[in-house]
Amino acid sequence: MSELEVVHEFTGPMPTGVGVSHTGRVFVNFPKWGDDVPATVVELRDGAEVPFPDQAWNSPSSDDDEGAFVSVQSVVVDPADRLWVLDTGSPLFRPTKPGGPKLVCADLTTDTVTKVITFPTDVVLETTYLNDVRFDLRHGAAGVAYITDSADSGPNGIIVVDLDSGESWRRLHDHPSTKAEPLDAFRPVVEGAPFLERPAEGEPEPVTMGADGIAISADGTRLFYCPLASRRWYSVPTHALLDRSLPDDEVGEQVVDEGDKGGGADGLETDDAGRLYLTNYEHDAVLRRLPDGSFETVAHDPRLLWPDTMSIADGHLYVTANQLHRQAKYQGGEDRRSTPYHLFRVSVDAGPVRLR
């Protein structure tokens, strides 16, 4: 187990996603969950949080603005060293409007947006919350992306995107493996307290966020995912997700229950050695599963308060810690977060998966 290194401290809005380029550039995003968010996507440059690619792209005119970031949940660098921005189009978890939810590609050699992919209403529903994304550039003319829909009040599933045509389709639509587990099956405990939605008035309710963390195997043959509210995780063959002639129930029949992963996880990741990484928000830790099926601890630290999203680059695992569970909606209406939030990294002696 290696020591955590502080990469950056955040004193403004809480971050979720992190993406690190092949040349070491670090990008972070801040969803609009109630904090003042001057820019929903930034690059960390010499200790400063600089709007990326510029302030205009971080100044939407509405929730359905196709030409600006509305509320970004994830930023991921693909195997070709391009930054993809996953825009929920859902500030404060509002219902989505066509044009707001989108997948946006930025060329890191020119720092310009080169592609915007929006979604039809039968793929991104009003209830959809686009959470995280992974890429395999070996399929079709330009590759494919896989996105989790972690909606807390609607169907969950996996969204597949053809990066050339921009076509997209839902898979595992409301499949049990994509759903949050009820309290009688999963009762999460964070910082010694049950993790529940606790409004200022009324009774506590279970957290209902579904398919959240996502990772692709090093050979690209399986997609791993997990509901936020579960200690279990699952995988499915990528060929089943890609075969549009295959009925969705037959895709569901190929899902494998990967078992208990030791705690609730927000983020998943894979390295080029075939090891799978799992954040563990119940234990302030990051774990990984080795190719032989055994688990080991990568990091365990009391500062890892809600480890959220990971990115592997330059022999390090980067991970955000954002105190998500201390937000007012989980604390009886009282915001118990305290800045700074953190971006850490830890040595893992591995590189990212590069399927291209």
Side-chain angles (χ1 to χ4, degrees):
M1 188 166 60
S2 302
E3 293 296 317
L4 285 179
E5 173 188 350
V6 176
V7 176
H8 188 77
E9 294 185 334
F10 302 90
T11 57
M14 62 182 288
T16 54
V18 58
V20 183
S21 78
H22 302 172
T23 59
R25 297 174 67 181
V26 181
F27 303 90
V28 176
N29 69 269
F30 310 91
K32 296 177 182 176
W33 290 346
D35 291 338
D36 179 24
V37 178
T40 190
V41 179
V42 304
E43 181 178 2
L44 302 182
R45 299 180 189 166
D46 300 320
E49 300 165 18
V50 180
F52 184 87
D54 52 35
Q55 187 58 54
W57 264 97
N58 283 276
S59 303
S61 60
S62 62
D63 285 4
D64 57 358
D65 191 339
E66 292 187 20
F69 303 140
V70 177
S71 179
V72 172
Q73 177 67 25
S74 186
V75 285
V76 177
V77 175
D78 77 4
D81 206 27
R82 301 171 298 187
L83 183 73
W84 290 87
V85 176
L86 186 61
D87 190 350
T88 67
S90 179
L92 299 173
F93 298 96
R94 289 196 289 262
T96 64
K97 299 177 181 179
K102 53 190 171 288
L103 186 60
V104 179
C105 181
D107 183 336
L108 295 183
T109 62
T110 61
D111 290 350
T112 57
V113 169
T114 58
K115 195 174 189 70
V116 177
I117 298 173
T118 57
F119 302 92
T121 55
D122 61 344
V123 174
V124 168
L125 317 175
E126 283 192 351
T127 57
T128 289
Y129 193 82
L130 301 177
N131 197 294
D132 207 352
V133 59
R134 293 295 180 267
F135 298 90
D136 186 340
L137 304 185
R138 303 171 306 168
H139 296 279
V144 295
Y146 305 98
I147 302 171
T148 46
D149 177 353
S150 65
D152 65 357
S153 58
N156 301 110
I158 306 293
I159 295 169
V160 185
V161 186
D162 182 314
L163 298 177
D164 179 48
S165 67
E167 287 186 275
S168 57
W169 56 96
R170 292 183 71 91
R171 282 308 205 183
L172 300 177
H173 179 74
D174 228 24
H175 188 271
S177 67
T178 69
K179 305 299 293 180
E181 291 191 277
L183 285 178
D184 60 1
F186 172 62
R187 189 174 294 275
V189 176
V190 186
E191 283 197 281
F195 176 55
L196 299 165
E197 290 196 8
R198 299 178 185 275
E201 298 180 3
E203 294 298 313
E205 297 181 353
V207 175
T208 54
M209 297 289 282
D212 187 319
I214 187 173
I216 194 166
S217 63
D219 62 5
T221 62
R222 300 197 72 80
L223 192 75
F224 292 79
Y225 58 94
C226 62
L228 182 72
S230 177
R231 294 191 185 101
R232 308 196 77 79
W233 59 328
Y234 304 87
S235 72
V236 64
T238 51
H239 68 76
L241 300 173
L242 295 171
D243 183 358
R244 299 184 70 176
S245 69
L246 194 65
D248 202 40
D249 58 351
E250 293 186 23
V251 179
E253 291 171 1
Q254 299 185 54
V255 168
V256 171
D257 184 338
E258 297 286 344
D260 189 317
K261 54 186 171 21
D266 198 319
L268 302 179
E269 189 54 284
T270 326
D271 68 23
D272 57 6
R275 298 174 297 190
L276 287 152
Y277 295 76
L278 315 92
T279 62
N280 190 313
Y281 60 72
E282 292 189 85
H283 299 290
D284 308 335
V286 175
L287 307 179
R288 69 181 169 197
R289 191 181 78 179
L290 307 183
D292 66 6
S294 62
F295 284 74
E296 63 185 14
T297 303
V298 175
H300 177 225
D301 192 294
R303 296 173 296 171
L304 271 175
L305 288 170
W306 200 278
D308 193 313
T309 303
M310 298 174 286
S311 179
I312 291 177
D314 60 34
H316 290 86
L317 176 84
Y318 291 75
V319 58
T320 54
N322 59 18
Q323 304 173 44
L324 180 150
H325 62 290
R326 291 181 174 180
Q327 291 179 98
K329 69 182 294 185
Y330 307 113
Q331 301 292 338
E334 178 186 354
D335 185 357
R336 296 183 179 178
R337 298 172 300 165
S338 60
T339 58
Y341 312 111
H342 288 94
L343 172 62
F344 296 109
R345 72 175 188 175
V346 60
S347 177
V348 293
D349 191 27
V353 173
R354 294 184 179 176
L355 299 171
R356 62 175 303 190

